[in-house]
Amino acid sequence: MGKTTAQKIFDAHLLEKPFEDTYILRLDKVFCHEITTPIAINDLIERKLDKVFDADKIKVVIDHVSPAKDSKSALQHKILREWAKRNQIKDFFDIGNNGVCHALFPEKGFVRPGNIIIMGDSHTCTYGAFGCFAAGVGTTDLEVGILKGICAFKYPKTIKVNLNGKLRDGVYAKDVILFVLSQLGCNGATDCILEFCGSVIDDLDMEQRMTVCNMAVESGATCGICYPDMKTVGYLWPFIKNQFDSKEEALKKYSEYISDKDAEYVKTYSFDLSELTPLCTYGYKPDCVKTVKEMEGTKINQVYIGSCTNGRISDLRIAASILKGKKIAPNIRVIVSPATQAVYRQALEEGLITVFTEAGCCVTNPSCGACLGMSCGVLAENEVCISTTNRNFYGRMGKGGIVHLASPSTAAFSAIKGFICEK
């Protein structure tokens, strides 16, 4: 019987099976940020276990509240800084050299096909776009990962999602994953892997595939996975070119992780997305989805363009192409947050920052702050935001605030009109 991508990765990393359904796996990387990691650090210190399994395999960033907004967040930053220094973790990205984790770590070349990666963050599933297994974990698993470089998982069950056809102009990866969520529901892939394939995925670039995989967790999935291909190799080539004689050789190696044709799946879904139109959420769950036309006219107070879902350079280019030469509607505010410092610099060089500021947008530094209602874009009660982020839970961006998830294109058009619209 053939194996899925996730099963192949598990088998290659297996250290032991203490129980029939428990796999102890070797980790390739442990990623850390200042919200969840300080809790693990303090517990390890209390247990007199202040050490790491491999300083080169731990990557650390301050990103959720960047820079610190109060004494509590400053303390979280301090704990992380001092821990990284004590344990000689060289890949520590502090304020001014940082970025939103799930954009920064791929940008730095830290993700590879076939890897197993954990982080104390639910959107760690983003990295599956590279053909690896990446999962968000709780504090105990994070501590063990930091200390021993291992993690326990149940053997993966996979749901295959075939996405075929050719996307219309003006339809983007965010629309694709919102459609998938509308079909599967928020619990439709609980404790499973979502394996994305088909011509739509083949046509997406790596940044768009990361958008799709980023929101796999919103269906309950542990991870979203795309097969590694030449686009994957091309993205990684600056970091792997000394390991392979050619891109073709790299692809041959990475293709070992592609699912076998006779692999078994829990479920298989097939959708033709040729007629898909821009989508937007309503209500308070990511699977509450309507077409933007159905939502047209919904008044907004804020537009947010950024986050680990849609804050990369391609996302900013889409938004800027729409806002160029235009002004945002009166009585609303638009916040643009490039996902990393490198994205910010590139947007500056391409003139995108000028486009945004001339349109009346506020451009902030890289930060997760607005997405989870901590800083740099928090909503007041009953305020409405159309956002390129990944969650529309009640109060997600501020107590009593209402969030509608959409693509950078829809967000930019809505910014000009002052209400949700398609164009």
Side-chain angles (χ1 to χ4, degrees), residues 8-46:
K8 289 183 177 186
I9 295 170
F10 268 51
D11 291 351
H13 289 75
L14 179 62
L15 294 175
E16 61 175 305
K17 279 180 62 179
F19 310 105
E20 182 59 33
D21 63 344
T22 303
Y23 280 59
I24 306 298
L25 305 177
R26 169 181 54 82
L27 300 175
D28 294 289
K29 309 278 187 347
V30 177
F31 293 162
C32 304
H33 62 55
E34 87 279 14
I35 298 299
T36 56
T37 310
I39 303 168
I41 291 169
N42 286 340
D43 191 59
L44 287 169
I45 290 172
E46 189 174 322

Side-chain angles (χ1 to χ4, degrees), residues 90-349:
K90 69 178 189 304
D91 290 319
F92 171 60
F93 302 94
D94 206 337
I95 308 299
N97 190 37
N98 61 342
V100 177
C101 53
H102 306 313
L104 180 71
F105 293 147
E107 178 184 277
K108 294 292 183 181
F110 296 152
V111 182
R112 299 282 192 281
N115 275 183
I116 291 186
I117 299 168
I118 64 166
M119 187 177 194
D121 189 287
S122 55
H123 292 104
T124 305
C125 54
T126 305
Y127 310 123
F130 291 83
C132 70
F133 174 80
V137 297
T139 302
T140 301
D141 284 332
L142 182 62
E143 283 188 47
V144 174
I146 288 169
L147 186 65
K148 295 291 185 180
I150 60 174
C151 194
F153 290 99
K154 290 185 177 180
Y155 201 59
K157 299 177 293 182
T158 300
I159 296 172
K160 189 172 188 176
V161 183
N162 290 306
L163 301 172
N164 293 307
K166 186 171 179 59
L167 297 181
R168 291 176 166 184
D169 290 342
V171 177
Y172 298 94
K174 185 63 156 285
D175 302 305
V176 170
I177 189 58
L178 288 178
F179 172 80
V180 172
L181 291 172
S182 74
Q183 300 302 302
L184 272 63
C186 280
N187 300 312
T190 301
D191 295 330
C192 292
I193 313 298
L194 281 184
E195 191 176 282
F196 299 105
C197 54
S199 59
V200 168
I201 298 299
D202 293 342
D203 288 344
L204 297 181
D205 62 25
M206 291 308 299
E207 294 194 349
Q208 294 177 90
R209 292 178 192 178
M210 282 187 262
T211 293
V212 171
C213 289
N214 175 270
M215 292 185 67
V217 69
E218 309 309 334
S219 67
T222 306
C223 184
I225 287 179
C226 299
Y227 300 151
D229 61 7
M230 193 54 82
K231 289 182 180 178
T232 316
V233 172
Y235 184 100
L236 292 172
W237 191 245
F239 311 103
I240 64 173
K241 59 185 178 183
N242 294 329
Q243 301 170 30
F244 299 99
D245 292 333
S246 66
K247 291 182 178 180
E248 288 72 22
E249 183 188 334
L251 179 59
K252 182 179 179 181
K253 172 62 179 175
Y254 293 151
S255 295
E256 295 175 4
Y257 297 106
I258 294 175
S259 293
D260 296 324
K261 293 187 183 301
D262 58 343
E264 290 194 353
Y265 296 90
V266 176
K267 291 180 182 177
T268 297
Y269 294 91
S270 293
F271 304 107
D272 188 328
L273 303 188
S274 301
E275 300 301 315
L276 188 67
T277 61
L279 301 177
C280 182
T281 62
Y282 66 94
Y284 299 106
K285 296 194 301 176
D287 63 350
C288 294
V289 177
K290 293 182 178 180
T291 65
V292 174
K293 281 198 175 296
E294 290 177 286
M295 296 291 290
E296 189 154 345
T298 303
K299 294 293 185 182
I300 56 176
N301 304 102
Q302 177 172 298
V303 176
Y304 185 79
I305 299 169
S307 84
C308 60
T309 317
N310 284 119
R312 299 177 181 85
I313 191 63
S314 57
D315 301 306
L316 301 192
R317 287 171 180 155
I318 291 166
S321 70
I322 293 163
L323 288 165
K324 189 171 184 178
K326 306 285 198 314
K327 293 287 186 182
I328 66 171
N331 303 317
I332 72 162
R333 57 195 182 271
V334 178
I335 299 169
V336 180
S337 180
T340 70
Q341 289 288 65
V343 171
Y344 196 113
R345 288 193 298 271
Q346 191 167 354
L348 195 61
E349 290 167 4

